[in-house]
Amino acid sequence: MAMMRHSILTCGLLAGAALFAAAPAFAKKPVAVGPVIEMSDGFRAATQAADSAIKAGNVAAAQSQISGLMPVSDFENYVAAGLRFELAVLKVDRQAQRVALNDMFKTASVPKTDMPRLRYVAGYLSFIVGNYDDANAQLDYAKTLGYDPIDATMLRADIALRRNKAKEARSFVQEALARQRAAGQPVPAAWYDRAISMAYQAGDWSEVGALYRERLGHYDSAGEWRTALANYLTAPGMDAQVQLDLYRLQAANGAMASERDYQAYAQLADKTGYSAETKAIIEAGRSAGKLTPTQAVTAGLMKTATPKAVKEIAGLPAAAKKAASAKDGSAAMTVGDIYVSLGQYPQAVEQYRLALAKGGVDTAKGNARLGVALARSGDLAGAKAALGQVTTGNWANVAGFWSVWVDQQSRKTAFKPIAVPAS
């Protein structure tokens, strides 16, 4: 009889890359320890030959060697099961992987330090092959042994979804995100997408907005902004003025990517009475190559908006003078809205502050629009303070999305390279 250490076999047969090709990528290679294990020379030679064939990718040779194994002890049964597992990984046979793991569990030779993680792997494989009861049972077993990674919570969500238990699945996803945040780890984009999809299906638009804003705080390309805002704009019952500020944010991010984007924005601006903004959007769309002069809808809008825009701009001085002497802030709010539509943000800031000081206006809208105007005029700290005043209703969502943008601009400003003059 020859002697071989348990640790060598565990590392060689169970902790190799093949084992973890079947499990989620986060799994770590175990540090195995154990007593000296007795194994026959013939059995050891056969296992080494099988292991070499597996590493070489020679399925037929590995199958031949493993089929000829004649284990006579508990440990040899454990090693044989481990080789069957690795062969099943090579063949991408999930069912055989799961059976091989079960054979390992029938032995008393599985290292105690490996058992919790292997039970989790068993749960993962049972999920893959469609045995959801066993998948949950294995995850529960792993948890009782102290192994309950965040990935296990996401796996439970997948199991619940496969069993058409959407509410239960959503709860697991929410738990996984909370655990990831608490651990100080970035939440994968795919996890956000799953949580957003579930909130969307549940009609929970408040959570849809909150999740998109959190996601944008980490993944903030123009494409990400377009996806987030385009999807959120489908929320039912949203006020046209609220929608308009979200389109304005999409434009501020350079996220206007199609004819549809420009057309929808122009139609909304026209609907809310901002002719100069309607004209400017169409011109921007044409300049970007997304709209053409012959595009029917926007061509018609351009024709009607152009003369209206002239009157809108010409009437501003008188409207501002009237707002200054008005008993409440309603007129100043209206003037501020026109200034924003014209892109004249410092003037808009003045009017919104006047409106809020006089009172008699929707303070949520006033603070949200003030924050937008301050942000666009470059006063990021002031914008953040104004937007932070808006905590309820649809305007809170506007303020929330714009706050993400303000934070991003603040980071860009903070890390702006200092130009070094040439010597």
Side-chain angles (χ1 to χ4, degrees):
M1 303 290 284
M3 307 299 287
M4 178 175 277
R5 288 194 176 277
H6 193 169
S7 58
I8 295 175
L9 276 174
T10 302
C11 291
L13 298 179
L14 296 180
L19 174 59
F20 297 104
F26 73 89
K28 295 181 179 179
K29 186 173 181 178
V31 177
V33 294
V36 174
I37 301 297
E38 197 172 79
M39 185 185 298
S40 70
D41 288 337
F43 188 85
R44 179 180 62 175
T47 60
Q48 289 174 340
D51 188 47
S52 295
I54 289 170
K55 289 175 180 176
N58 190 334
V59 173
Q63 183 74 63
S64 176
Q65 290 291 340
I66 293 170
S67 297
L69 291 176
M70 300 291 290
V72 296
S73 68
D74 183 85
F75 184 70
E76 289 181 350
N77 276 302
Y78 164 66
V79 172
L83 286 168
R84 288 196 297 276
F85 182 93
E86 292 200 23
L87 177 61
V89 170
L90 185 61
K91 295 167 67 176
V92 197
D93 186 337
R94 306 301 194 210
Q95 184 67 53
Q97 290 172 38
R98 181 65 190 88
V99 171
L101 269 184
N102 202 48
D103 289 342
M104 287 187 216
F105 296 150
K106 292 176 182 178
T107 74
S109 295
V110 179
K112 289 184 178 180
T113 54
D114 286 354
M115 181 64 84
R117 178 184 47 78
L118 290 178
R119 286 291 180 180
Y120 166 71
V121 173
Y124 170 78
L125 291 170
S126 287
F127 164 74
I128 293 296
V129 301
N131 189 344
Y132 305 128
D133 287 338
D134 185 69
N136 274 326
Q138 295 298 329
L139 293 177
D140 289 343
Y141 200 153
K143 187 174 183 179
T144 63
L145 296 175
Y147 195 81
D148 186 34
I150 299 173
D151 298 75
T153 305
M154 289 298 287
L155 182 53
R156 290 181 189 274
D158 286 332
I159 294 167
L161 281 175
R162 293 284 182 89
R163 303 176 89 170
N164 296 316
K165 296 182 178 181
K167 186 175 181 180
E168 183 179 315
R170 185 182 175 201
S171 177
F172 281 127
V173 171
Q174 290 171 328
E175 179 188 340
L177 264 64
R179 289 180 63 185
Q180 192 80 348
R181 296 182 194 112
Q185 298 297 314
V187 175
W191 291 16
Y192 280 124
D193 292 341
R194 180 170 300 189
I196 289 166
S197 176
M198 290 177 170
Y200 180 91
Q201 293 295 328
D204 189 343
W205 286 97
S206 177
E207 185 169 359
V208 169
L211 286 167
Y212 265 130
R213 291 192 291 274
E214 184 180 339
R215 192 186 194 285
L216 287 167
H218 301 286
Y219 308 96
D220 62 349
S221 68
E224 299 285 0
W225 272 102
R226 183 177 184 269
T227 296
L229 293 174
N231 288 338
Y232 188 73
L233 277 162
T234 63
M238 192 180 294
D239 181 83
Q241 292 283 349
V242 169
Q243 290 179 314
L244 186 61
D245 277 11
L246 295 177
Y247 272 110
R248 288 167 173 166
L249 179 55
Q250 185 175 335
N253 276 287
M256 302 290 289
S258 67
E259 175 186 308
R260 178 185 175 279
D261 291 341
Y262 284 100
Q263 180 176 304
Y265 184 180
Q267 287 177 308
L268 189 59
D270 179 70
K271 176 183 177 181
T272 48
Y274 304 117
S275 299
E277 186 172 11
T278 303
K279 181 173 178 288
I281 297 158
I282 296 171
E283 289 172 344
R286 290 176 178 177
S287 178
K290 304 302 180 182
L291 297 175
T292 66
T294 58
Q295 203 273 332
V297 173
T298 51
L301 286 174
M302 191 69 162
K303 184 177 180 179
T304 59
T306 299
K308 290 180 182 178
V310 174
K311 293 181 180 179
E312 188 176 58
I313 295 169
L316 258 179
K321 184 177 180 180
K322 183 178 179 180
S325 60
K327 64 179 180 179
D328 63 29
S330 299
M333 180 78 82
T334 299
V335 174
D337 289 344
I338 296 172
Y339 275 127
V340 164
S341 75
L342 296 171
Q344 297 181 21
Y345 302 112
Q347 297 90 328
V349 167
E350 182 181 349
Q351 292 298 319
Y352 287 134
R353 283 178 170 158
L354 177 62
L356 290 167
K358 284 178 173 286
V361 297
D362 182 342
T363 57
K365 176 187 174 184
N367 278 306
R369 286 269 167 90
L370 173 60
V372 170
L374 286 166
R376 297 294 275 149
S377 63
D379 184 355
L380 300 178
K384 189 74 173 179
L387 294 169
Q389 297 294 313
V390 191
T391 58
T392 59
N394 276 333
W395 285 105
N397 291 306
V398 169
F401 278 108
W402 274 94
S403 288
V404 175
W405 187 82
V406 168
D407 288 340
Q408 291 170 357
Q409 302 311 303
S410 297
R411 287 195 293 272
K412 291 176 184 177
T413 301
F415 293 103
K416 187 176 181 179
I418 300 174
V420 179
S423 57

